[in-house]
Amino acid sequence: MGTEPHRILLLEDEPSTLERLRRAVEDHPALSVCGQAMSCREGEALIRSGEYDVLLSDLGFPDGNGIHLIRLSRQLHPQAEIMVITVFADERHVLTAIEAGASGYLLKDGDSSYIGESILQLLAGGSPISASIARHLLQRLKPKAPQPNPDAPPMTPREQQVLELVAKGFSYAEIATTLNISVNTVTSHIKQIYRKLSVNSRGEAVFEASQMGLIRPL
Amino acid sequence: MDLREYSWNTLNIFFISLLSLALSILLLWALILVDQHLTWLDDGLELNQTEFTESDAATPPPPNSTWYYREIPDDWKDQPHNGNSIWYRFRLYVASPPRQLWGIYLPVIQQNASVWLNGELLGDGGSFTDPLARNWNRPLYFSIPRGLIRAGENLLQVRVKSTGNNNGLIAPVFLAPAESLYPGYRMKYFFRYTLLQFIILSLVFSALLLFTLFSLRPADRLYAWFAFTLTVFVLYSLKFIIIEPPLGGLAWDRLNYSALIWLPYCSTGFIQRFIGQINRNIELLFLLLSTLVTLILLMIPESWVPRFTASFVTSLALIMGGYPIYRLIHYLVANPRRDTFLLMTGGFLLGVFGIHDWLAVNGFISRIQGLFLPYSSPPGLILFAYILMRRFVQASNESERLNRTLQQEIERKHRELEDSFEQMRELERRNAITEERSRLMRDMHDGMGGHLVSLLSRVEDERSSSTDIARELRSALDDLRLMIDSMEDVEGDLLSLLAMLRDRIEPRLKSTGIRLVWKTRNIPPLENLSPEKALHILRIFQEAFTNMIKHSKACRVTMDVRTHNNEKGQCGILIDCRDDGQGFTADEVRSGRGLINIQRRAALLGGVAGIDGHPGRGCRVWLWLPVARKDPDPCIETAKDS
């Protein structure tokens, strides 16, 4: 490959997992690790100082929460993609990360090829979303007592339709066939949903999202 | 009870009774004094000697008629006449005609009179034709036109007509200058007539008020009884203020006395309810007596009416009327209260005035002072109005107090309910936790526990390769993820549940080179899809996929979810997972633990499951779950093969 490999910034507090991820990234010729950190403090310093194309970040650090790092990255490097590293891809972790600005997740135990593929897919414009996450997004969209703020970006019927099919377990290709649209269109719908979920003003993200009726107060 | 206190109380109540009786008599005496004062005027000429003749003529009879001597007052009860229309004549000698205006004053007339002076009609007390005017209580006064009194002899003629020959009455006749007669007449008129009009009007008003009250609170019979008592009292008393009766003959008198005989019955009903001790037998007796007397009164011939009413009806009414008064006094003696004295006086007044009237009507005392029973009603009326008002105020206060208590009670109950609800919620929460804990324990024992034990043995076994260990670890992780997925609330949507399985399994299928075909249709929701059941479903197919990846050498697997009726026609959902791998023999299936496992799980889900396989023709794992039939045609395809 003639072009420069994509620069990956790796933030993970568990040394062996960090090593595993680093190896998986380095294994792929199109990717290279440009920095790695095992704490929030170090991670923040790297985000502030360096340049990177993809941020891979865990959420739980001994000295803080990774959500803060994801917001910071979205603020300082809006172009960089962000993926959250998770063991179970459970809705609580992933949705919070998406709201903070992440646009995908990586399973910690994924094998080397899965990790590389996932990162590349994201860089190529793909937007992975699991059925479970889609279902949770749909649940949040259901009209509830505090009506969504009319100023908030509403989900279009098409976007909702796509989300529903994702939640039922259909792949993007199957959805494209069912709705008679291209796979790219499906992907762009998903990206749009991500964008609507993540709010630009990082500090107010959660507050605003709950104002829009997207997040249930816990 | 303390004897001293008892005797003091008895003395006390005896004293009070005596005092109220004395007060009642005193009041009657005062009224009689007032009446006498207004009847027997000090001024003027009292004409107390007369001659009379019986004649029903409307104009004075000729002087040559037979005239008899008699003294005034002339009460026909004492000396009955032969007829009911009597002419009296008085000869008056006047030295010189008076300069002032003179008048004639007839304080008591039973029941109508006309006055003639020197052949000129001065006036009368109403109609002499049927129905005859009744001047029970109304004094008569006539001005004498100037010049009619002449020097020398003057002839004053008075015609008195009554309903019977034994109930007429003429009390003193006064002739005097108007200025000395008229004020006395006005006073008597007010005292005997206007005042009674006011009293009776107020009784009517009170009765209407009480009837209204009763109509609003039908349960409160007391008001109705009081209203009836007042009504019959009014009907009886009307005779004192209605001069021209609306009914001819003696019908009016029959009505008045009928009312009188109902007065004891009604007041008994009222008093018994007032004191709260009801003797129904006496009420029934009174009812029968009153009805009987009324019937007799209405049916006897006219000539019997005056005697029957005067003696029998009034006596019976007096005896019967004594009963409620006795009950009231008796009750008050036994249950002294703050207003005992007032109540007793109310009762005694009725009794004393009733006795007086009975004595008068039956000729034991002078009839000239008239009847007083109607005058006994205002004190009683005011008293009972006050008591009823106090009852109302007490009831209002009580209801306000009860409302407050009720409010507090409601608040207390509300708090109690909230507390018990909170306790129940807490209990429910604890139960849920306990249940969830035992489920997790079971699942971990089945899944993670097994994996970890197996891992341990592999690690201990030196021959084990790290690949084996990694695979086992991955299975353990997969199982953990299944547990997490199973806890998702998919609201009975099987497709959402299987979608999570697809997300987990597809990357691995892909990396093994197996293509997954996902065929699903709209299916009805599964009722009671608990996390436990969800985990069983997920495990069945996770195991199916794991085995396929390990053994089948398949290129393609089709996951087909659709509604499917079983052989009994029961509606259900069929999850069908087929691969195009090498398959296996029926014996191979039977020997493995996989079939037993999935059948056990299917049974726990209330469904059936199976594994079908033939060498070279792939393998099929299926699970059928029953659903409640709600949607008549749920089989609508939503997605095509990918």
Side-chain angles (χ1 to χ4, degrees), chain B residues 386-404:
Chain B
Y386 165 71
I387 287 166
L388 288 179
M389 215 153 67
R390 216 179 48 190
R391 256 174 58 136
F392 173 75
V393 170
Q394 274 171 354
S396 299
N397 290 346
E398 179 68 6
S399 92
E400 271 170 23
R401 194 186 63 77
L402 282 178
N403 265 342
R404 274 198 302 277

Side-chain angles (χ1 to χ4, degrees), chain B residues 244-503:
Chain B
E244 307 276 357
L247 304 168
L250 291 179
W252 182 239
D253 307 72
R254 294 182 206 253
L255 183 72
N256 288 151
Y257 282 100
S258 299
L260 181 65
I261 203 68
W262 285 95
L263 187 58
Y265 169 68
C266 292
S267 53
T268 300
F270 168 60
I271 292 294
Q272 293 209 96
R273 272 146 198 88
F274 179 74
I275 65 177
Q277 297 164 359
I278 299 169
N279 182 343
R280 297 210 184 267
N281 290 338
I282 207 83
E283 275 180 13
L284 192 67
L285 177 71
F286 278 19
L287 180 67
L288 288 174
L289 278 175
S290 304
T291 313
L292 191 69
V293 170
T294 304
L295 287 176
I296 293 171
L297 251 175
L298 294 179
M299 289 189 302
I300 52 170
E302 229 166 54
S303 57
W304 294 13
V305 170
R307 194 169 297 278
F308 182 69
T309 50
S311 53
F312 182 71
V313 176
T314 53
S315 304
L316 190 63
L318 184 72
I319 293 165
M320 283 163 69
Y323 178 75
I325 296 169
Y326 158 74
R327 285 290 303 277
L328 179 68
I329 306 293
H330 182 260
Y331 167 80
L332 290 171
V333 168
N335 306 279
R337 36 191 281 171
R338 248 186 336 169
D339 45 17
T340 293
F341 177 71
L342 292 173
L343 279 169
M344 273 193 173
T345 309
F348 277 135
L349 268 177
L350 270 167
V352 168
F353 281 44
I355 289 171
H356 169 271
D357 283 11
W358 178 81
L359 290 173
V361 167
N362 288 279
F364 295 107
I365 55 172
S366 164
R367 294 205 297 150
I368 295 167
Q369 63 212 27
L371 304 180
F372 284 99
L373 191 61
Y375 292 90
S376 68
S377 62
L381 189 67
I382 292 166
L383 191 67
F384 286 119
Y386 165 71
I387 287 166
L388 288 179
M389 215 153 67
R390 216 179 48 190
R391 256 174 58 136
F392 173 75
V393 170
Q394 274 171 354
S396 299
N397 290 346
E398 179 68 6
S399 92
E400 271 170 23
R401 194 186 63 77
L402 282 178
N403 265 342
R404 274 198 302 277
T405 316
L406 192 68
Q407 190 77 30
Q408 286 163 359
E409 186 67 6
I410 287 171
E411 277 167 18
R412 200 176 61 78
K413 286 277 173 212
H414 189 73
R415 276 198 302 276
E416 269 181 24
L417 267 177
E418 264 182 354
D419 286 352
S420 71
F421 186 66
E422 192 54 47
Q423 280 173 3
M424 258 168 60
R425 223 165 21 196
E426 178 62 21
L427 205 68
E428 222 165 66
R429 201 177 64 82
R430 275 193 210 159
N431 274 347
I433 288 173
T434 311
E435 224 166 75
E436 195 59 17
R437 181 184 293 148
S438 67
R439 189 184 73 81
L440 278 174
M441 291 295 288
R442 215 163 42 235
D443 291 345
M444 282 183 169
H445 185 266
D446 287 358
M448 273 300 275
H451 286 300
L452 287 176
V453 170
S454 158
L455 256 173
L456 185 66
S457 59
R458 280 185 199 278
V459 171
E460 280 171 349
D461 185 350
E462 283 159 10
R463 287 167 300 175
S464 302
S465 68
S466 61
T467 327
D468 289 343
I469 295 172
R471 193 190 301 130
E472 193 66 43
L473 272 169
R474 213 169 278 287
S475 301
L477 263 176
D478 283 345
D479 198 69
L480 258 182
R481 292 200 176 111
L482 279 193
M483 278 174 67
I484 289 168
D485 287 349
S486 73
M487 281 187 271
E488 288 274 328
D489 180 18
V490 293
E491 295 161 351
D493 183 11
L494 186 63
L495 290 186
S496 291
L497 186 72
L498 293 173
M500 290 190 283
L501 179 68
R502 181 182 189 179
D503 278 340

Side-chain angles (χ1 to χ4, degrees), chain A residues 35-95:
Chain A
Q36 62 182 54
M38 291 172 64
S39 69
C40 259
R41 201 172 44 75
E42 290 169 19
E44 194 179 322
L46 284 177
I47 289 168
R48 287 188 187 282
S49 62
E51 287 293 320
Y52 51 89
D53 300 310
V54 179
L55 169 70
L56 295 187
S57 177
D58 195 0
L59 288 181
F61 288 96
D63 61 340
N65 196 317
I67 290 294
H68 158 67
L69 298 177
I70 292 173
R71 279 195 197 129
L72 189 70
S73 170
R74 181 53 81 206
Q75 208 172 2
L76 298 178
H77 309 279
Q79 302 308 317
E81 298 284 356
I82 303 165
M83 291 181 104
V84 63
I85 308 164
T86 163
V87 180
F88 295 116
D90 53 303
E91 144 281 324
R92 195 169 60 84
H93 278 108
V94 177
L95 274 187

Side-chain angles (χ1 to χ4, degrees), chain B residues 106-316:
Chain B
L106 305 169
V108 180
I109 284 297
Q110 291 289 326
Q111 291 173 295
N112 196 7
S114 61
V115 178
W116 303 70
L117 184 65
N118 294 332
E120 292 282 331
L121 176 65
L122 294 184
D124 58 39
S127 165
F128 273 90
T129 53
D130 189 47
L132 178 71
R134 317 285 163 87
N135 293 280
W136 279 100
N137 268 34
R138 186 172 70 156
L140 296 178
Y141 173 88
F142 306 103
S143 301
I144 300 168
R146 239 180 264 272
L148 197 59
I149 301 179
R150 53 191 180 223
E153 192 187 83
N154 290 273
L155 187 64
L156 176 70
Q157 283 163 306
V158 178
R159 180 193 180 194
V160 173
K161 189 173 180 179
S162 188
T163 47
N165 64 345
N166 64 346
N167 59 0
L169 173 69
I170 178 166
V173 179
F174 289 96
L175 193 72
E179 60 188 31
S180 63
L181 272 190
Y182 193 70
Y185 157 75
R186 288 305 306 171
M187 291 283 280
K188 171 125 182 166
Y189 188 91
F190 171 78
F191 175 63
R192 295 304 316 219
Y193 192 70
T194 313
L195 187 61
L196 266 191
Q197 281 180 320
F198 275 122
I199 288 173
I200 289 167
L201 206 66
S202 67
L203 291 181
V204 170
F205 180 71
S206 306
L208 286 175
L209 209 69
L210 285 161
F211 274 125
T212 313
L213 209 59
F214 169 67
S215 72
L216 294 175
R217 278 182 60 90
D220 241 335
R221 297 289 164 81
L222 180 70
Y223 298 133
W225 281 102
F226 195 19
F228 280 125
T229 307
L230 291 179
T231 306
V232 293
F233 199 92
V234 165
L235 284 176
Y236 167 69
S237 306
L238 274 181
K239 72 173 183 182
F240 297 111
I241 59 165
I242 288 182
I243 306 295
E244 307 276 357
L247 304 168
L250 291 179
W252 182 239
D253 307 72
R254 294 182 206 253
L255 183 72
N256 288 151
Y257 282 100
S258 299
L260 181 65
I261 203 68
W262 285 95
L263 187 58
Y265 169 68
C266 292
S267 53
T268 300
F270 168 60
I271 292 294
Q272 293 209 96
R273 272 146 198 88
F274 179 74
I275 65 177
Q277 297 164 359
I278 299 169
N279 182 343
R280 297 210 184 267
N281 290 338
I282 207 83
E283 275 180 13
L284 192 67
L285 177 71
F286 278 19
L287 180 67
L288 288 174
L289 278 175
S290 304
T291 313
L292 191 69
V293 170
T294 304
L295 287 176
I296 293 171
L297 251 175
L298 294 179
M299 289 189 302
I300 52 170
E302 229 166 54
S303 57
W304 294 13
V305 170
R307 194 169 297 278
F308 182 69
T309 50
S311 53
F312 182 71
V313 176
T314 53
S315 304
L316 190 63

